[in-house]
């Protein structure tokens, strides 16, 4: 399997989801602006996402995928199918109980996440509507783990676009209908989340059936007991313990930051959410894609005791991350007003909202390399069944992030939250890299010096073009001419990409240097 081609395919499919996500955020910004109801939706949506990352695609995937890959490598497909059935059965029952508890306890959850919300009751209603999304997405995470282990990356990569399409459709048609009938229009977004979750869950079934891995969930007491006593389930649960704690650290940081944002003022949660959507573009296009591709391959290399191949895959991932992410970080730092204005400066989203979102985007830009690098560095530990090290490092990063909040938030407001997150991610990634090097798990391949000089030259050219575009064009003033503004942004980003790649080629970098088979 060509890892570069596979990662590129996943990135392109993820790009569809990210584009749909931006369209979704554009529609939300135009319809509702950065308002109290938008803050309420963002907080309500973060609650099921928090639990999804705890028990679904976060801790669960970290524990399940390496075991699944190792079982298939060692014991064959039949044993792997039994493991899938047992894990799916236990997961389905746990999620059923969790969703019921979440619907009942929604007021407490909203209070923990955003006690100072202007539209607290609206957030509670939407949390109850959206809580089943946790169960749907956790089962999607199981399906994605299976498909990725079978090297079927396309369906899991393209699936998230369905959520965005569902929210866009419900907002476009549902919000006006609710308003015309005297209901709160923002509820259309919550309905879209549930519809999107259903679509994502059901689209996995044909892909699983095609490889003979559609899980058979047991609903009788005997089937549940048998699944519970399966050794693979016990192994997943044992690995999930520290993994849940590790993911909890990151989610605790999100909870604290959201709570702080609700106290900063109305709109702060939304400004951070819009900035986060832009920051997710480079994170998803390569960071997530590489993490998805590398985790099962690293786990299989570990099972084969192929230490050299293991290290080489990490090296390849880090070089590809630097190559693609550094210019993106420069764009967030130097060109945030242009990016935010062309995407969101319409309807109820005003010039002040552009400025506030751009400030948050600069904070994220400082730490973008750390945020993206974690998608490669953390799987390097998970594939070795080492959940504890990333957890310990994440705890330290959480403490550092909140200490920085004490300094930055009084000074920078909501942008201080983004800056603290970025710097905390840099510290987290730096320490994980240092540990991999010290333990000998990762040994850098030759040529890093020449590679760094080429990147320095390419990014210097990119930064110069971005600075000229940011300083010479009145992006806010072009609101009355949206077509002209879009053309200028496209010309700027296209020119940056061409100049960056051209400089790298002139300096001797070639695409074949990144072709790797796994």
């Amino acid at each position: 399997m060509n890892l570069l081609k596979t990662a590129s395919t996943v990135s392109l499919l993820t790009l569809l989801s990210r584009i749909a996500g931006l369209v979704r955020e554009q529609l939300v910004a135009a319809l509702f602006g950065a308002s109290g109801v938008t803050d309420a939706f963002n907080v309500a949506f973060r609650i099921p996402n928090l639990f999804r990352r705890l028990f679904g695609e976060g801790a669960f995937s970290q524990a399940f995928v390496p075991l699944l890959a190792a079982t298939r490598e060692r014991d064959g497909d039949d044993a792997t199918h039994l493991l899938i059935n047992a894990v799916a059965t236990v997961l389905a029952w746990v999620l059923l109980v969790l969703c019921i508890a979440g619907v009942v306890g929604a007021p407490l959850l909203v209070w923990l996440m955003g006690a100072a919300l202007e539209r607290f009751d609206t957030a509670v209603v939407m949390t109850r509507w959206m809580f089943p999304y946790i169960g749907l997405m956790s089962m999607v995470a199981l399906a994605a783990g299976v498909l990725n282990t079978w090297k079927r990356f396309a369906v899991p990569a393209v699936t998230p676009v369905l959520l965005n399409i569902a929210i866009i459709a419900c907002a476009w048609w549902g919000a006006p209908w609710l308003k015309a009938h005297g209901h709160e229009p923002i509820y259309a977004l919550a309905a879209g989340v549930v519809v999107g979750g259903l679509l994502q869950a059901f689209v996995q079934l044909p892909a699983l059936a095609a490889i003979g891995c559609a899980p058979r969930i047991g609903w009788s007491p005997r089937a549940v007991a048998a699944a519970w006593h399966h050794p693979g389930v016990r192994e997943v649960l044992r690995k999930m313990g520290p993994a849940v704690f590790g993911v909890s650290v990151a989610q605790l940081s999100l909870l604290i930051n959201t709570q702080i944002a609700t106290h900063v003022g109305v709109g702060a949660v939304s400004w951070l959410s819009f900035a986060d959507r832009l920051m997710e573009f480079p994170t998803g296009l390569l960071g997530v894609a590489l993490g998805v591709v590398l985790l099962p391959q690293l786990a299989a290399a570990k099972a084969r005791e192929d230490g050299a191949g293991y290290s080489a895959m990490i090296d390849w991932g880090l070089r590809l991350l630097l190559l693609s992410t550094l210019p993106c970080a420069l764009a967030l730092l130097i060109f945030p007003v242009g990016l935010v204005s062309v995407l969101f400066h319409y309807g109820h989203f005003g010039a002040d909202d552009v400025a506030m979102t751009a400030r948050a985007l600069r904070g994220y830009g400082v730490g973008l390399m750390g945020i993206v690098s974690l998608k490669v560095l953390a799987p390097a530990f998970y594939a070795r069944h080492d959940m504890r090290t990333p957890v310990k490092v994440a705890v330290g990063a959480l403490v550092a992030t909140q200490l920085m909040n004490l300094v930055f938030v009084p000074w920078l407001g909501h942008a201080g939250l983004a800056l603290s997150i970025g710097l905390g991610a840099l510290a987290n990634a730096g320490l994980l890299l240092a540990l991999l090097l010290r333990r000998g798990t990762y040994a850098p391949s030759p040529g890093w010096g020449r590679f760094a000089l080429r990147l320095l030259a390419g990014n210097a050219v990119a930064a110069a073009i971005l600075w000229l575009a940011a300083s010479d064009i009145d992006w806010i003033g072009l609101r009355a001419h949206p077509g002209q503004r879009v053309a200028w942004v496209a010309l700027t980003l296209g020119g940056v990409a061409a100049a960056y790649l051209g400089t790298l080629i002139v300096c001797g970098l070639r695409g074949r240097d990144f072709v790797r088979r796994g």
Side-chain angles (χ1 to χ4, degrees), residues 4 11 156 196 225 231 238 317 383 423 489:
L4 178 60
S11 291
R238 187 175 70 82
L423 292 174
V489 168

Side-chain angles (χ1 to χ4, degrees), residues 440-490:
T441 305
Y442 164 54
S445 302
W448 268 97
R450 291 192 305 275
F451 180 63
L453 289 174
R454 290 164 177 165
L455 286 184
L456 180 62
N459 282 283
V461 172
I465 298 173
L466 289 167
W467 182 82
L468 287 172
S471 58
D472 289 353
I473 299 174
D474 182 8
W475 298 103
I476 301 293
L478 284 173
R479 178 173 184 168
H481 306 281
Q484 185 179 345
R485 186 163 59 180
V486 169
W488 275 115
V489 168

Side-chain angles (χ1 to χ4, degrees), residues 123-439:
V124 171
V125 172
M126 288 191 285
T127 298
R128 285 180 165 147
W129 283 20
M130 291 189 287
F131 220 88
Y133 175 75
I134 300 168
L136 295 168
M137 293 309 300
S138 297
M139 297 307 292
V140 168
L142 182 143
V146 174
L147 292 169
N148 290 336
T149 301
W150 260 256
K151 301 181 181 180
R152 306 294 179 90
F153 298 103
V155 171
V158 78
T159 294
V161 76
L162 298 175
L163 172 67
N164 294 318
I165 290 173
I167 295 176
I168 290 168
C170 288
W172 188 263
W173 286 290
W177 186 89
L178 287 171
K179 185 177 181 179
H181 289 77
H183 302 295
E184 177 57 66
I186 200 75
Y187 290 154
L189 302 183
V193 170
V194 177
V195 173
L198 288 168
L199 291 174
Q200 289 181 87
F202 284 113
V203 80
Q204 309 288 324
L205 296 178
L208 289 171
I211 59 174
C213 290
R216 292 191 292 271
I217 299 174
W219 298 106
S220 67
R222 174 180 291 182
V224 174
W228 180 260
H229 289 93
H230 188 285
V233 171
R234 296 298 180 91
E235 179 71 8
V236 170
L237 292 174
R238 187 175 70 82
K239 298 293 184 184
M240 275 190 71
V244 165
F245 183 72
V247 177
S248 298
V249 171
Q251 299 311 305
L252 178 60
S253 182
L254 175 64
L255 187 152
I256 295 171
N257 288 346
T258 303
Q259 186 70 261
I260 295 172
T262 64
H263 286 83
V264 168
V266 175
V269 174
S270 297
W271 295 327
L272 286 166
S273 179
F274 290 127
D276 184 72
R277 172 57 58 183
L278 269 170
M279 183 268 294
E280 282 183 357
F281 234 89
T283 304
L285 287 185
L286 194 67
V288 172
L290 276 176
V292 165
V293 171
L294 283 177
L295 182 54
Q297 303 306 314
L298 288 170
K302 175 64 172 62
R304 296 192 303 268
E305 298 185 355
D306 180 9
Y310 195 97
S311 176
M313 274 190 275
I314 297 173
D315 190 89
W316 172 82
L318 291 175
R319 293 194 191 212
L320 200 54
L321 277 179
L322 285 169
L323 179 73
S324 61
T325 306
L326 280 174
C328 295
L330 290 175
L332 300 189
L333 286 166
I334 301 171
F335 193 59
V337 173
L339 295 173
V340 174
S341 63
V342 78
L343 291 171
F344 302 128
H345 192 205
Y346 309 98
H348 289 87
F349 199 89
D352 185 59
D353 296 322
V354 172
M356 294 296 112
T357 304
R359 290 178 60 191
L361 197 57
R362 284 194 176 99
Y364 285 132
V366 170
L368 183 65
M369 275 308 310
I371 294 169
V372 177
S373 296
L374 289 172
K375 305 297 183 179
V376 170
L377 296 171
F381 290 89
Y382 302 145
R384 302 177 70 85
H385 304 284
D386 179 3
M387 307 293 180
R388 297 185 182 277
T389 298
V391 168
K392 293 176 182 177
V393 173
V395 170
L398 169 63
V399 173
T401 298
Q402 298 311 318
L403 289 175
M404 286 186 283
N405 278 338
L406 294 175
V407 177
F408 294 139
V409 174
W411 175 32
L412 300 171
H414 71 287
L417 291 167
L419 180 59
S420 298
I421 291 171
L423 292 174
L426 282 174
N428 194 340
L431 189 51
L432 288 179
L433 178 60
L435 289 172
L436 287 172
L437 292 168
R438 190 176 72 180
R439 295 176 181 181

Side-chain angles (χ1 to χ4, degrees), residues 45-112:
F45 193 27
R46 286 183 186 184
I47 292 172
N49 273 328
L50 184 152
F51 281 93
R52 186 193 82 198
R53 288 164 183 164
L54 282 178
F55 301 108
E57 65 188 34
F60 171 75
S61 293
Q62 293 166 15
F64 177 60
V65 173
L67 177 65
L68 187 69
T71 301
R72 190 181 184 211
E73 186 79 23
R74 183 182 60 243
D75 302 326
D77 287 351
D78 290 341
T80 308
H81 293 163
L82 293 176
L83 171 64
I84 293 168
N85 293 337
V87 170
T89 297
V90 172
L91 182 63
W93 279 95
V94 170
L95 291 171
L96 179 62
V97 174
L98 178 65
C99 289
I100 293 172
V103 170
V104 174
L108 175 60
L109 294 172
V110 173
W111 181 81
L112 289 172

